[in-house]
Amino acid sequence: MRAPFLIGCFLFSWLTTSAQVALKNLLTENLKNPICIDAHNPRFSWQLAEKDNRPVGQQAYEIQVDSASFSENNTTPLWSSGKITSNQSVYVPYRGKTLLSCHKYFWRVRIWDTNGLRSAWSDQSFWKMGLLSASDWHAQWIRPALNDTVNAPAPLLRTNFSLNKKIREATAYITSHGFYEAQLNGHKVGDSFLTPGWTSYNKRLQYQAYDVTTLLAQGENAMGITLGSGWYRSPLGPYTPRANFYGDKTAVLMEMRIIFTDGSEKIISSDQSWRSSTGALQFAEIYNGCIIDTRLEKSGWAGPTFDDHNWHPVIIMPYAKNTLIATYNEPVKQHETFKPIKVITTPRGEKVIDFGQNLVGWVKVTLKGHPGDSIKIAHAEVLDKAGEFYTENLRAAKAENTYILKDTVKSTFEPQFSWQGFRYIKVSGIKGALNPDDFTAVAVYSDMKATGSFLCSNPLLNQLQHNIQWGQKGNFLDVPTDCPQRDERLGWTGDAQVFSRTAAFNMDVHNFFTKWLRDVAADQYPGGSIPFVVPDVFKNGTNEVGGSSGWGDVSTIIPWNMYFAYGDKKILENQFQSMKAWVNYIQKQTRNNLWVTGNHFGDWLFYSVNNDRDGTSAITNKYLIAQCFYAYSTQILINSAKVLNKTTDEQYYSKLLLKIKRAFVNEYVTANGLISSDTQTAYVLALEFDMLPKNLRQQAAARLIKNIGLYRDHLTTGFLGTPYLCDALTRFGYADVAYKLLLQDTYPSWLYPIKQGATTIWERWDGIRTDGSFEESSMNSYNHYAYGAIGDWMYRYIAGITPAAPAYKKITIKPVIGGGLSWAEGKYDCPYGTIYSKWQITDRKLDMRVTVPQNTTADIFVPDFSGNNYKKFTVGPGNYHYSR
């Protein structure tokens, strides 16, 4: 055997040089140069960049903050931290004087490395405070004096104003009841969509800030705002959708603060001087799409020369401002585009276009015809086995956009205030053949940075990774929705919690989940129960709809996962009372420490068969599952209390956890270790959550293996068992079986949908059956990310990247070789920089390359070519190469 060889063994010579450390990627509240922060003590993060290939660690830092751009004359900044001995470089809080609304601040940092060498000051970064209290707003809520209902045309609101000085900078702050889209002098404000996003509106309403300096002109100006129903009043929820859930009238609040070059200021805001009307957008609703009649278009309506004397006045409304919050998360934006890969004429003679990818967004279409022509675009995820356009699984959602032409001029159209989940579109109203160049599909999702990638020698696993990522893109649309296409699209809590670790590998979901978790807490019921969906649109009066195990545990599981992924202790601080309330709620439901009450979804969509006469269906006792999650949430609460130094809570819940686990064993486990529900999910949860005494765990793992064998190396788990299946197998020494399940390509398995042509994760293991028929249309989404939770195992075990400390301050690199793979690689951008792990087997030799980011350490476990006999290396930052 060849001895491991480490490239970079001459690090000592680098450490004795005097080259300075470089600093990069300065962030304020995890954002680059944000212009609207409402945290009173913003937190700063930075990364260390290697200099001349020299690994770097930090032993101290100094931060300076000032209200003016830094220069050589900045000898007395607004605040200086002084030299702080610490290796912390993420989420370091500001500790200076009180910050003022709408003021701009600059900051910079320097560090001392582990050899005592001081860096130069970083390039400066900046942030701008938002409107920190209701009294800071000058604007008034206004609504149109029109027939303003869900089915009525979208309101247009506008105002003119004059600026007689040269402009230095201008910021617009906008929010609404319903969706809004703003224009200044005929140009769209910002590049975001579906603003102001979705929160628990009656408790928390986000506003957005835009730098509009370049859109303004000295002289006459105009602002126009279009309003839509959005999540505020569109009928929401399946089966019995409820319109006007938050209110029945749209409204807008807008304030623009302009600073001139002479230092003076002017505020333009929504008030009684605005005018209102309607235009081409005749209908826009989330599930049913939109109707745009260009014959009714008011050309130039958002420009300064438009005559609005025939428009209606607006109505001032006394709506609250004390619920307004700055936007935490990344807005929804346009991303990838797709051109048709095929134009189809179905057996029925319908014109259909295939974009080759199931995506979420809309289609831009270029049309030319005759005045009054009506062009309709319908959307579908699949074609049926006869090749026909299939929309039954959309249920009541029409998912259609209609464009009515005003003349013969060729024009480009796209929907407004609506979106669709689709791979195929059906086009009607166009005479003759379709020109594929006239159609472009646009993917739309929250603007989260891609942070992870995974590749290996098996093309099917690479497609699985592709499908997982596209399931996340399609469903992370301001809130984590269950599905993007049918009459649902809600923030189902169970789906989000099982996928959260995978989500954090694929994308930077820190801000995304921070915002959503605040709504989980806001919508939590007084007794501590968690709604099934957040924002909670199922609640009806005092009727609480929630409390299911695995779903309610979102309140503990995601905060802990986000803390460990990003090292942000504030997430735990923000959510701790919500976490504690959930565990306390469960405790009140128990009898003799057993959670045997309430309604639970159980192991949702587990493997089952029709006319089950011999017990083939993998049914797991719902209360057994509930007890496991009760223990898991309690364990997370203990961990969180320890991080937050809440000693009393840590001690109390540690004692409670012992009772919970003891009750589980007494109720559900025989003396010989048989669990009463002899299913994969039962054993997986018992093993993963340490529900069994240590002397019973290995035999439980053996029983799990036996069960998998009974199903001929197929999984039978549902939403709650699947995320932990391969993890539990690997932990207890059965990685080979985990690989067998992962690579299984017949139903039920992860690869079966791929063999059926899937480009996203399905809701059901057999959404399309082997004979080409479909599962029941009432619940059969083809873009449903929950089963994509396997992505976490692929990153952590195949690529071998695992956080050993919060934010990857310490990293474990330990790939598990198997599955016939000859190579695999993973890359992940953690808060400290890029982690890279690649292994390859050639001619019975394993070659492994690893990158450890600056200011971190790693334990690297290098196997031999057979995947055994690991050798451990504890290293600091750098690039490493091992060969065995």
Side-chain angles (χ1 to χ4, degrees), residues 159-179:
T159 191
N160 279 62
F161 57 95
S162 181
L163 302 175
N164 56 10
K165 298 180 183 179
K166 192 173 181 180
I167 302 160
R168 188 174 80 197
E169 62 178 282
T171 307
Y173 305 91
I174 313 175
T175 190
S176 62
H177 290 172
F179 289 149

Side-chain angles (χ1 to χ4, degrees), residues 110-278:
R110 61 182 176 184
I111 67 108
W112 285 259
D113 70 15
T114 48
N115 292 290
L117 296 175
R118 189 184 69 190
S119 74
W121 285 109
S122 67
D123 291 339
Q124 68 180 4
S125 185
F126 72 85
W127 83 94
K128 196 171 184 180
M129 299 301 289
L131 294 151
L132 300 180
S133 69
S135 61
D136 288 332
W137 286 86
H138 292 75
Q140 296 175 291
W141 277 104
I142 59 173
R143 72 170 180 86
L146 304 165
N147 175 29
D148 179 28
T149 64
V150 173
N151 295 318
L156 307 178
L157 299 94
R158 71 178 307 279
T159 191
N160 279 62
F161 57 95
S162 181
L163 302 175
N164 56 10
K165 298 180 183 179
K166 192 173 181 180
I167 302 160
R168 188 174 80 197
E169 62 178 282
T171 307
Y173 305 91
I174 313 175
T175 190
S176 62
H177 290 172
F179 289 149
Y180 74 84
E181 186 172 296
Q183 296 182 57
L184 261 175
N185 297 325
H187 300 284
K188 178 176 166 60
V189 173
D191 57 357
S192 305
F193 294 87
L194 310 183
T195 48
W198 194 7
T199 53
S200 180
Y201 290 134
N202 52 348
K203 302 168 187 172
R204 293 165 20 90
L205 176 59
Q206 294 185 139
Y207 65 91
Q208 286 74 43
Y210 305 92
D211 183 343
V212 295
T213 309
T214 60
L215 299 181
L216 293 172
Q218 192 170 345
E220 296 304 312
N221 293 264
M223 171 169 272
I225 295 177
T226 308
L227 296 177
S229 294
W231 291 293
Y232 188 78
R233 68 174 186 188
S234 287
L236 296 173
Y239 312 120
T240 55
R242 298 166 62 191
N244 305 318
F245 185 81
Y246 297 102
D248 62 354
K249 300 297 180 185
T250 61
V252 69
L253 184 73
M254 191 290 301
E255 181 163 318
M256 181 163 45
R257 298 198 172 199
I258 304 164
I259 302 175
F260 300 103
T261 55
D262 65 3
S264 61
E265 298 184 19
K266 184 171 184 176
I267 295 177
I268 306 296
S269 61
S270 49
D271 57 25
Q272 68 280 359
S273 69
W274 287 52
R275 310 285 287 175
S276 62
S277 186
T278 60

Side-chain angles (χ1 to χ4, degrees), residues 39-93:
H40 291 270
N41 292 289
R43 295 164 304 152
F44 309 118
S45 302
W46 59 90
Q47 291 179 353
L48 282 61
E50 63 185 35
K51 185 78 171 181
D52 301 326
N53 294 319
R54 183 170 67 88
V56 182
Q58 173 187 304
Q59 66 163 303
Y61 67 81
E62 181 180 6
I63 301 172
Q64 288 185 347
V65 173
D66 208 347
S67 56
S69 182
F70 286 99
S71 68
E72 295 297 326
N73 299 323
N74 282 91
T75 57
T76 55
L78 178 69
W79 175 69
S80 174
S81 67
K83 183 180 179 181
I84 304 295
T85 301
S86 170
N87 64 7
Q88 183 179 1
S89 58
V90 296
Y91 308 115
V92 178

Side-chain angles (χ1 to χ4, degrees), residues 40 66 189 224 243 255 275 294 340 384 393 440 502 522 592 677 705:
H40 291 270
D66 208 347
V189 173
E255 181 163 318
R275 310 285 287 175
T294 57
D384 68 18
N393 70 319
T440 302
T502 298
N592 298 319
S677 290
I705 298 303

Side-chain angles (χ1 to χ4, degrees), residues 30 44 64 318 384 424 496 508 575 679 726-727 828:
N30 204 38
F44 309 118
Q64 288 185 347
D384 68 18
Y424 301 89
D508 184 349
Q575 302 300 134
T679 64
C726 288
D727 197 84
Y828 177 65

